[in-house]
């Protein structure tokens, strides 16, 4: 034999031929093992090293928690959350051993008796597996049969299987030499796939029975372990009858192995599947504004520190309070159903997408369609033939759409679906602690499954009158006081924009200028456009832009006179951050969404704290808080609709600002209390679809109720630390006059409407009878000392007041 002659000099000392052959065989095996281990000439593929065995690399899901430790989301490539052996039900271990490897505790990684039995069964036409749990662990954890682990011989038919098996055996021996049996069982149960990207017993226990792995019963364990024979075929959701049949086979194996008594076996076999599906799939699917916001928040940190939240098994603790978040989501959902019905009623029987002149926008839906993936596919398939493309886009089909009454099955074409979703109002809400920057609630939209766009951070819309406080801030910084007075009158401002001469003539929302002299606090409280424009002209619109940027607005702002009325696009996130500066004594804090990150081993690897920078003086900051309270406290302030909710116990104080953009496209409310700053935005994603008038579309009627409902829920929740109470007293001397009570108004006022857009007036008005005697008495009350003014024509004043009163009655509007 040629090989013998070649090897003979090495073994010539061995006289006995049979022993010599045995030694040569052992030598060849050792040589083969060494060649496999080093992947000689790339023939055998990757084999795990001793380091790989001691520190196995697993793709472990990271989990996102609220500040009060409620799981709100997960990130994973493989949905896996490892659990130690002592937190796995003994029934799970028994079911696994009885079904997959009854001699598990007797072999050292490879069960030769099982292999021989498998070969015999195959010869008899009943093939059975002979792999041990340890071998399966080697395959699961080190991918011993995956293409990237295959060497050149792996591609040779027949030889490849032998190479796979050899590497699997070697890896199994390594595992047995490094781990005890309990550790191997834990590793296996944490790495095995249960299909649908669910890995490990903890994940699958939550998914199908909504409980921890330690709580699983024998019947539940049998269902899950039974899936390992065929994760789709025996899936209890997809194939419950097969799953039940397989479960009973597993229970039978446990009974045969003495792990169940006959009574327990018979009782378990008679039980139904009794699935209690958990929320693991939802949490891991990405259908959460919060989960997406946290991922975006950590993007730079992960890149800098070298972490991958999809595989590193991190625990990410946010600043979100789960109860505050729940109250916010419920307040939004409660109001949005009402608003959606209101919008649909406003346009019933009419096409809602209109341009600035109120004309229907041609090919509006066609434009939306062109941005879809389906359109791109049809465009490619039919070479741009519009007739063919829109033929298919207009074909009705059964689909499920989002409605506020729950998902609804409809017969819609793709164009119908686009129209349905374009008409849906959306929302954004964010609540923040103004002192430490911690974000307590984040509602990015109405439903992440249908609307991925985040309306807290990503969406930027015209802020309307919620931007006015920055004009008043700039005025205070210029030396004015809340008691300085301006007259509500017609204003014309000439300015230059990009080298072009322009004229701006802002109107109050109802086109009426009262001629009334008003303090700055009263003017801001009632949101008077004309006075805001006057102070903007006086101090300079560049100063308004600077004030907004210093407080926390990061979006670019066009420096034009209308900046004070919110003509620029900003996000809810920016506005909340900026308003927080007023409450935090003039120090701007950086909002914080993530507080702490813990690695898989329980070590804290990162903590996040805000940074504070003084951007306005403490005196001016306190005065701005006082000015914001004016929307509740000044006559006919624009926040006074908040009286509707239970918010006013224990001398509670709330400040805020409503806002409405042109044509009622965007409704805003910014609310501040002694503890929190909250921003709410309401509107359609398509700006050409909006409410039609102030009575339905103002921020006071869309966004403010969300704030009212939200704060009422917070105050009534005794488990939360937020209480009624007044704003803090100033911590520094206030060196300018601010306490100047405004005269009480007993009639609706023309300036109470809060919108960039002018009010649409009716063509005719009903005659309103006027009691002249009563009106004279009101004149005496509101104009003290008028009798002493000889140059005053009393009848003229009466006529003017009567005319003004008629105007007030004709254009009523509540804020």
């Amino acid at each position: 034999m040629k090989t013998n002659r070649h090897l003979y000099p090495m073994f010539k000392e061995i006289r006995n031929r049979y022993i010599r052959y045995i030694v040569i065989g052992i030598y060849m095996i050792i040589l083969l093992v060494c060649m496999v281990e080093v992947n000689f000439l790339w023939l055998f593929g990757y084999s795990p090293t001793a380091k790989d065995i001691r520190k196995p690399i697993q793709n472990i899901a990271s989990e996102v928690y609220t500040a009060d430790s409620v799981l709100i989301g997960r990130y994973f490539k493989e949905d896996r959350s490892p659990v130690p052996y002592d937190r796995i039900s003994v029934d799970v271990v028994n079911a696994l051993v009885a079904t997959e490897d009854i001699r598990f505790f007797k072999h050292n990684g490879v069960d030769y008796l099982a292999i021989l039995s498998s070969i015999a069964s195959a010869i008899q036409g009943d093939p059975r597996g002979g792999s041990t749990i340890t071998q399966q662990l080697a395959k699961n954890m080190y991918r011993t049969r995956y293409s990237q682990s295959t060497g050149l011989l792996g591609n040779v038919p027949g030889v490849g299987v032998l190479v796979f098996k050899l590497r699997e055996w070697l890896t199994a021996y390594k595992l047995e030499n490094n781990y005890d049996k309990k550790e191997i069982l834990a590793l296996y149960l944490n790495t095995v796939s249960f299909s649908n990207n669910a890995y490990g017993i903890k994940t699958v226990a939550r998914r199908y029975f909504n409980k921890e792995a330690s709580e699983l019963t024998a019947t539940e364990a049998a269902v899950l372990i039974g899936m390992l024979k065929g994760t789709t075929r025996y899936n209890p959701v997809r194939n419950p009858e097969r799953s039940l049949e397989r479960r009973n086979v597993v229970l039978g194996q446990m009974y045969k192995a003495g792990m169940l008594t006959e009574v327990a076996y018979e009782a378990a076999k008679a039980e139904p599947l009794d699935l209690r599906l958990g929320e693991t799939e939802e949490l891991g699917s990405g259908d959460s504004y919060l989960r997406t916001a946290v991922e975006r928040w950590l993007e730079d940190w992960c890149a800098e520190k070298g972490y991958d939240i999809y595989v590193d098994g991190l625990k990410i603790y946010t600043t979100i309070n789960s109860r505050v978040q729940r109250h916010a989501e419920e307040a939004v959902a409660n109001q949005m159903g009402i608003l959606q019905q209101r919008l649909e009623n406003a346009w019933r029987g009419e096409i809602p997408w209109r341009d600035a002149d109120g004309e229907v926008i041609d090919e509006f839906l066609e434009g939306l369609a062109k941005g879809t993936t389906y359109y791109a596919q049809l465009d490619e398939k039919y070479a741009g033939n519009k007739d063919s493309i829109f033929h298919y886009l207009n074909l009705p089909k059964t689909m499920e759409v989002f409605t506020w009454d729950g998902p609804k099955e409809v017969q819609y074409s793709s164009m119908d679906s686009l129209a349905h979703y374009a008409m849906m109002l959306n929302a954004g809400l964010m609540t923040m602690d103004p002192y430490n920057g911690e974000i307590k609630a984040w509602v990015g939209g109405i439903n992440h499954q249908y609307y991925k766009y985040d309306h807290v951070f990503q969406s930027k819309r015209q802020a309307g009158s919620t931007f006015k406080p920055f004009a008043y801030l700039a005025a205070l910084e210029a030396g004015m006081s809340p008691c300085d007075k301006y007259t509500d009158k017609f204003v014309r401002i000439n300015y230059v924009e990009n080298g072009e001469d322009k004229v701006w003539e802002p109107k109050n929302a109802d086109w009426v200028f009262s001629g009334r002299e008003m303090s700055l606090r009263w003017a801001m409280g009632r949101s008077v456009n004309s006075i805001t424009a006057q102070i903007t002209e006086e101090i300079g619109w560049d100063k308004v832009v600077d004030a907004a940027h210093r407080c926390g607005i990061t979006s670019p702002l066009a420096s034009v006179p209308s900046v004070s009325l919110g003509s620029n696009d900003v996000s809810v996130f920016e506005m909340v951050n900026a308003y927080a500066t007023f409450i935090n004594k003039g120090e701007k804090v950086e909002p914080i969404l993530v507080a702490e990150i813990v690695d898989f081993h329980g070590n804290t690897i990162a903590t996040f704290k805000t940074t504070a920078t003084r951007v306005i003086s403490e005196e001016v900051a306190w005065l701005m808080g006082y000015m914001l309270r004016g929307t509740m406290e000044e006559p006919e302030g624009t926040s006074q609709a908040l009286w509707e909710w239970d918010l006013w116990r224990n001398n509670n104080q709330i400040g805020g600002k409503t806002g409405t953009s042109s044509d009622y496209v965007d409704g805003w409310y910014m609310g501040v209390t002694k503890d929190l700053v909250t921003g709410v935005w309401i509107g359609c994603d398509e700006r050409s679809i909006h409410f039609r008038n102030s009575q339905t579309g103002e921020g006071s009627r869309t966004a403010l109720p969300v704030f009212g409902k939200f704060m009422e829920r917070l105050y009534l929740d005794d488990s939360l630390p937020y209480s009624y109470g007044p704003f803090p007293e100033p911590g520094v001397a206030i060196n300018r006059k601010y306490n100047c009570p405004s005269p009480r108004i007993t009639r609706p006022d023309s300036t109470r409407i809060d919108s960039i857009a002018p009010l649409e007036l009716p063509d005719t008005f009903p005659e309103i009878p006027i009691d002249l005697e009563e009106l004279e008495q009101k004149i005496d009350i509101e104009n003290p000392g008028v009798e002493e003014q000889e140059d005053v024509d009393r009848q003229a004043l009466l006529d003017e007041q009567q005319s003004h009163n008629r105007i007030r009655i004709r254009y009523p509007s509540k804020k």
Side-chain angles (χ1 to χ4, degrees):
M1 185 174 177
K2 183 175 181 180
T3 303
N4 261 356
R5 289 197 302 270
H6 178 69
L7 292 175
Y8 180 78
M10 298 177 58
F11 303 101
K12 62 181 179 180
E13 300 298 327
I14 303 175
R15 301 294 184 181
N16 187 297
R17 181 175 60 178
Y18 300 105
I19 296 177
R20 185 187 312 126
Y21 289 157
I22 293 172
V23 171
I24 291 173
I26 295 172
Y27 173 80
M28 295 298 294
I29 292 173
I30 294 174
L31 182 62
L32 178 61
V33 168
C34 292
M35 293 172 68
V36 170
E37 284 294 291
V38 301
N39 191 17
F40 182 69
L41 296 179
W42 300 280
L43 293 172
F44 302 95
Y46 163 79
S47 186
T49 65
K51 181 180 178 181
D52 295 333
I53 296 294
R54 287 191 297 269
K55 294 184 177 181
I57 298 174
Q58 301 180 45
N59 290 339
I60 302 173
S62 293
E63 298 178 331
V64 185
Y65 292 88
T66 61
D68 47 339
S69 300
V70 175
L71 179 66
I72 55 175
R74 311 175 79 227
Y75 308 96
F76 54 82
K77 292 180 179 176
E78 299 173 350
D79 188 1
R80 185 200 321 275
S81 295
V83 59
Y85 180 84
D86 58 6
R87 289 173 58 188
I88 300 174
S89 166
V90 65
D91 288 315
V92 173
V93 173
N94 288 342
L96 177 66
V97 171
T99 307
E100 298 293 325
D101 189 359
I102 191 63
R103 287 173 39 81
F104 173 73
F105 291 100
K106 297 179 180 179
H107 62 68
N108 291 316
V110 179
D111 188 351
Y112 295 105
L113 289 179
I115 293 173
L116 293 174
S117 175
S118 175
I119 294 172
S121 297
I123 293 173
Q124 295 172 8
D126 182 23
R128 299 176 184 176
S131 293
T132 64
I133 290 175
T134 314
Q135 286 176 253
Q136 293 178 47
L137 173 62
K139 179 178 65 177
N140 294 339
M141 198 154 60
Y142 300 106
R143 306 293 196 266
T144 54
R145 297 191 184 186
Y146 281 55
S147 58
Q148 55 266 41
S149 302
T150 303
L152 297 176
L153 291 177
N155 298 315
V156 179
V159 177
V161 175
L162 296 176
V163 172
F164 292 150
K165 274 296 181 184
L166 180 57
R167 286 210 325 273
E168 210 169 84
W169 290 352
L170 293 176
T171 304
Y173 280 123
K174 293 177 190 177
L175 287 168
E176 292 277 350
N177 287 329
N178 281 274
Y179 298 100
D180 62 32
K181 291 291 185 178
K182 289 183 178 180
E183 290 171 328
I184 289 173
L185 285 170
L187 281 171
Y188 177 85
L189 287 168
N190 283 318
T191 56
V192 67
S193 170
F194 288 88
S195 83
N196 292 332
N197 206 24
Y199 290 79
I201 191 66
K202 179 178 179 179
T203 298
V204 80
R206 285 181 177 177
R207 179 170 292 187
Y208 293 109
F209 295 104
N210 198 25
K211 59 172 58 177
E212 297 300 319
S214 59
E215 301 169 342
L216 292 169
T217 65
T219 52
E220 293 165 344
V223 170
L224 301 181
I225 296 302
M227 290 176 66
L228 299 179
K229 185 176 178 65
T231 54
T232 300
R233 180 178 178 83
Y234 299 111
N235 185 295
V237 174
R238 296 181 180 179
N239 298 298
E241 293 181 358
R242 289 175 179 170
S243 175
L244 185 65
E245 180 184 343
R246 178 61 184 167
R247 182 204 69 178
N248 291 341
V249 170
V250 174
L251 290 171
Q253 294 295 102
M254 295 171 70
Y255 169 61
K256 290 178 183 178
M259 298 170 178
L260 287 178
T261 65
E262 183 175 358
V263 173
Y265 166 60
E266 293 297 335
K269 192 169 63 169
E271 289 184 18
L273 283 179
D274 193 22
L275 300 179
R276 294 178 297 281
L277 301 181
E279 298 181 350
T280 305
E281 282 189 292
E282 287 187 18
L283 291 172
S285 67
D287 288 339
S288 161
Y289 293 105
L290 256 179
R291 177 188 179 279
T292 305
V294 170
E295 180 179 7
R296 183 170 53 244
W297 199 275
L298 292 176
E299 188 175 346
D300 291 341
W301 179 84
C302 288
E304 178 184 348
K305 302 298 183 181
Y307 284 97
D308 184 344
I309 59 175
Y310 281 85
V311 300
D312 286 338
L314 306 177
K315 292 188 183 298
I316 302 162
Y317 292 92
T318 67
T319 60
I320 297 294
N321 182 291
S322 65
R323 287 157 293 177
V324 177
Q325 179 70 22
R326 184 181 71 252
H327 291 317
E329 292 174 354
E330 290 175 353
V332 168
N334 179 271
Q335 182 67 8
M336 292 305 292
I338 298 170
L339 293 176
Q340 187 62 43
Q341 187 62 55
R342 185 191 301 172
L343 179 66
E344 291 173 6
N345 289 341
W347 290 101
R348 193 167 302 279
E350 298 183 64
I351 297 175
W353 38 89
R354 307 293 178 107
D355 61 21
D357 297 321
E359 300 297 326
V360 174
I361 300 173
D362 292 333
E363 297 188 349
F364 172 80
L365 289 179
E366 287 77 0
L368 294 182
K370 290 177 181 178
T372 65
T373 303
Y374 186 39
Y375 184 95
Q377 293 171 346
L378 292 173
D379 187 48
E380 181 178 356
K381 183 176 182 179
Y382 296 104
N385 186 300
K386 295 293 190 295
D387 291 338
S388 298
I389 293 171
F390 283 101
H391 168 76
Y392 286 98
L393 288 173
N394 282 289
L395 281 180
K397 48 186 171 289
T398 301
M399 65 175 68
E400 186 178 87
V401 297
F402 170 79
T403 75
W404 285 107
D405 295 324
K408 182 179 180 181
E409 188 173 287
V410 294
Q411 287 291 320
Y412 276 0
S413 68
S414 297
M415 302 298 281
D416 295 332
S417 175
L418 287 171
H420 172 80
Y421 286 115
M423 187 68 176
M424 293 295 293
L425 285 167
N426 226 305
L429 181 152
M430 172 177 151
T431 296
M432 187 175 91
D433 184 320
Y435 306 107
N436 58 23
E438 292 185 355
I439 299 170
K440 296 302 179 183
W442 182 303
V443 182
I446 56 174
N447 189 301
H448 192 273
Q449 180 179 350
Y450 298 93
Y451 296 91
K452 305 297 184 185
Y453 201 54
D454 190 307
H455 297 86
V456 169
F457 188 80
Q458 291 177 300
S459 177
K460 295 186 178 184
R461 304 295 285 259
Q462 281 191 349
S465 293
T466 58
F467 214 81
K468 285 178 180 175
F470 302 115
Y472 290 89
L473 167 61
L476 294 180
E477 290 188 315
M480 297 184 193
S481 81
C483 291
D484 288 350
K485 294 186 177 180
Y486 285 77
T487 301
D488 176 20
K489 63 183 181 181
F490 172 78
V491 178
R492 172 179 290 162
I493 298 176
N494 298 300
Y495 68 103
V496 178
E497 183 180 8
N498 299 323
E500 181 182 352
D501 291 333
K502 293 188 176 182
V503 177
W504 184 48
E505 297 178 352
K507 305 294 189 298
N508 286 331
D510 58 0
W511 294 84
V512 175
F513 302 103
S514 68
R516 184 182 298 278
E517 191 176 61
M518 306 172 69
S519 69
L520 292 188
R521 187 178 193 246
W522 193 8
M524 191 177 100
R526 297 174 69 183
S527 201
V528 184
N529 289 349
S530 66
I531 293 180
T532 306
Q534 290 175 60
I535 66 171
T536 300
E537 182 180 27
E538 185 171 331
I539 61 177
W541 35 91
D542 287 346
K543 295 291 186 182
V544 178
V545 170
D546 175 65
H549 279 153
R550 280 187 285 116
C551 286
I553 301 298
T554 56
S555 294
L557 302 173
S559 185
V560 293
S562 62
V563 66
S564 297
L565 301 190
S567 56
N568 288 283
D569 287 354
V570 293
S571 67
V572 172
F573 180 89
E574 294 172 87
M575 291 294 285
V576 171
N577 190 21
Y579 270 63
T581 303
F582 303 145
I583 307 305
N584 193 35
K585 302 180 179 181
E587 290 192 340
K588 180 175 74 73
V589 296
E590 293 299 324
I592 297 296
L593 182 58
V594 175
E596 181 183 30
I597 301 177
V598 177
D599 68 13
F600 175 66
H601 302 289
N603 303 311
T604 298
I605 57 176
T607 56
F608 301 90
K609 300 291 184 183
T610 191
T611 56
T613 307
R614 178 160 299 285
V615 294
I616 58 178
S617 71
E618 188 172 344
E619 178 190 14
V620 168
W622 187 87
L623 288 172
M624 283 304 302
Y626 177 73
M627 296 272 284
L628 287 170
R629 280 164 40 202
T631 63
M632 281 301 305
E633 298 169 1
E634 291 291 338
E636 298 194 352
T638 57
S639 294
Q640 289 180 5
L642 289 175
W643 289 115
E644 179 180 339
W645 290 277
D646 186 4
L647 307 174
W648 307 108
R649 305 181 193 182
N650 301 333
N651 195 31
N652 194 40
Q653 291 178 332
I654 293 176
K657 191 72 194 72
T658 54
T660 313
S661 67
S662 298
D663 297 325
Y664 317 103
V665 171
D666 306 287
W668 288 76
Y669 191 75
M670 299 298 304
V672 297
T673 69
K674 64 183 179 63
D675 300 310
L676 296 170
V677 175
T678 301
V680 181
W681 168 86
I682 304 291
C684 289
D685 285 332
E686 296 298 328
R687 300 191 193 207
S688 57
I689 303 176
H690 48 75
F691 288 101
R692 307 184 76 162
N693 55 53
S694 63
Q695 298 299 311
T696 56
E698 281 187 337
S700 64
R701 299 176 182 275
T702 58
L704 180 146
V706 174
F707 174 80
K709 293 176 180 180
F710 170 57
M711 289 306 302
E712 183 179 64
R713 290 167 183 266
L714 290 194
Y715 285 138
L716 296 179
D717 188 339
D718 293 335
S719 67
L720 293 172
Y722 308 117
S723 60
Y724 303 96
F727 280 38
E729 293 296 323
V732 296
I734 305 300
N735 296 315
R736 63 188 87 183
K737 185 178 180 181
Y738 64 88
N739 188 9
C740 44
S742 303
R744 296 290 94 185
I745 301 296
T746 58
R747 302 169 301 278
D749 188 77
S750 63
T751 59
R752 197 171 175 185
I753 299 171
D754 185 17
S755 171
I756 294 178
L759 179 67
E760 296 179 9
L761 304 180
D763 295 330
T764 61
F765 302 92
E767 280 298 320
I768 306 295
I770 302 296
D771 187 331
L772 297 182
E773 184 177 345
E774 180 183 354
L775 189 58
E776 283 191 5
Q777 294 175 357
K778 290 181 178 179
I779 291 174
D780 290 337
I781 293 171
E782 296 189 13
N783 299 275
V786 75
E787 290 182 346
E788 288 73 33
Q789 300 179 25
E790 296 179 359
D791 58 338
V792 174
D793 184 335
R794 188 172 185 79
Q795 186 60 46
L797 180 59
L798 182 60
D799 291 342
E800 180 183 351
Q801 187 74 3
Q802 182 177 349
S803 174
H804 183 60
N805 189 57
R806 187 175 292 121
I807 293 174
R808 298 281 184 85
I809 297 172
R810 286 174 179 174
Y811 315 127
S813 174
K814 284 190 176 180
K815 204 58 195 153

Coordinates of all heavy atoms in Angstrom, one line a residue, residues 21 137 392 543 567:
Y21 N -1.4 -0.1 12.3 CA -2.5 0.5 11.5 C -3.4 1.4 12.4 O -3.9 2.4 12.0 CB -3.3 -0.6 10.9 CG -2.6 -1.3 9.8 CD1 -3.0 -2.6 9.4 CD2 -1.6 -0.6 9.1 CE1 -2.4 -3.2 8.3 CE2 -1.0 -1.3 8.0 CZ -1.4 -2.5 7.6 OH -0.7 -3.2 6.6
L137 N -26.7 23.2 19.2 CA -26.2 24.5 19.7 C -25.0 25.0 18.9 O -25.0 26.2 18.5 CB -25.8 24.4 21.2 CG -25.1 25.6 21.8 CD1 -26.0 26.8 21.8 CD2 -24.7 25.3 23.2
Y392 N -54.7 50.7 -13.5 CA -54.5 49.8 -12.3 C -54.6 50.6 -11.0 O -55.1 50.1 -10.0 CB -53.1 49.1 -12.4 CG -53.1 48.0 -13.4 CD1 -52.7 48.2 -14.7 CD2 -53.7 46.7 -13.1 CE1 -52.7 47.2 -15.7 CE2 -53.7 45.7 -14.1 CZ -53.2 46.0 -15.3 OH -53.2 45.0 -16.3
K543 N -34.1 91.2 15.6 CA -34.1 91.0 17.0 C -35.0 89.8 17.4 O -34.7 89.0 18.3 CB -34.5 92.2 17.8 CG -33.5 93.4 17.6 CD -32.2 93.1 18.3 CE -31.3 94.3 18.3 NZ -30.0 94.1 18.9
S567 N -44.7 83.0 10.5 CA -44.8 82.7 9.1 C -43.7 81.6 8.7 O -43.7 81.1 7.6 CB -44.6 83.9 8.2 OG -43.3 84.6 8.6

